[in-house]
Amino acid sequence: MAFPQISFLRIADETGAQTLARRVYDNVNAERRAHGLHTLHWNEELAGEARRHAVNMTRRQFFDHVDPQRGDLAERINESGIQWYRCSENLYRGKEIRDPAEHVIQAWLNSPEHRKNMLDFRMAETGVGVAIQPEGIVFIVQEYMYPRFPDLGFYGKTPHTPE
């Protein structure tokens, strides 16, 4: 499926994209709490990579975990200098959805692989990136990770399986 060609995202869409990213983050953490899991900490570097991947998919007309120019998630975050031990990623693309922040959570929960990523007790940090094409097509990327050198004072303790 070919995507419409775009050369930039409008300023209004950037503001909407940031708001949507925060809502997705909040909704994922609410879902994790509902399943007895710890919440994920926001990682701005990871969010920057998620935004870059969302924008690249819109600009270069692909929808995949592998960026033809930048590689898979591990390659992309290594290139950014992010120190990680475990990582995963969820992608979403939708158009004319009344509430994308709610819809994406339900879509991911209904997909075994996406659900596993979203509810992985081993993950500690996340970043969400959103790109909105002028035609209203929304791309959402959520990246999850457990850092290579976690600050256990920051987390309190390592992620654990709920009792």
Side-chain angles (χ1 to χ4, degrees), residues 25 40-51 82-84 124-128 143-147 154-155:
Y25 168 74
L40 299 169
H41 295 278
W42 183 264
N43 180 309
E44 188 55 41
E45 289 177 300
L46 204 55
E49 278 305 309
R51 279 190 296 276
I82 296 172
Q83 298 289 312
W84 60 278
E125 298 181 11
T126 192
V128 180
E143 296 176 355
Y144 309 87
M145 77 165 195
Y146 189 77
F154 178 73
Y155 296 116

Side-chain angles (χ1 to χ4, degrees), residues 46-82:
L46 204 55
E49 278 305 309
R51 279 190 296 276
R52 182 174 295 131
H53 192 58
V55 168
N56 284 345
M57 287 191 294
T58 64
R59 289 187 174 159
R60 292 197 259 121
Q61 303 178 22
F62 71 94
F63 183 70
D64 200 308
H65 293 282
V66 179
D67 181 318
Q69 293 179 5
R70 297 189 65 232
D72 66 15
L73 174 61
E75 292 169 311
R76 295 189 319 264
I77 63 177
N78 281 340
E79 181 181 296
S80 295
I82 296 172

Side-chain angles (χ1 to χ4, degrees), residues 116-130:
K116 183 178 114 186
N117 289 342
M118 189 169 66
L119 300 178
D120 188 341
F121 73 91
R122 299 169 298 179
M123 298 302 180
E125 298 181 11
T126 192
V128 180
V130 174

Side-chain angles (χ1 to χ4, degrees), residues 139-154:
F139 288 75
I140 300 173
V141 177
Q142 183 163 25
E143 296 176 355
Y144 309 87
M145 77 165 195
Y146 189 77
R148 176 154 307 280
F149 305 107
D151 178 353
L152 297 181
F154 178 73

Side-chain angles (χ1 to χ4, degrees), residues 72-103:
D72 66 15
L73 174 61
E75 292 169 311
R76 295 189 319 264
I77 63 177
N78 281 340
E79 181 181 296
S80 295
I82 296 172
Q83 298 289 312
W84 60 278
Y85 176 72
R86 175 175 279 109
C87 65
S88 63
E89 174 180 71
N90 283 350
L91 304 180
Y92 170 87
R93 177 182 63 205
K95 183 176 182 179
E96 299 175 3
I97 304 297
R98 192 174 65 81
D99 187 351
E102 288 294 327
H103 187 263

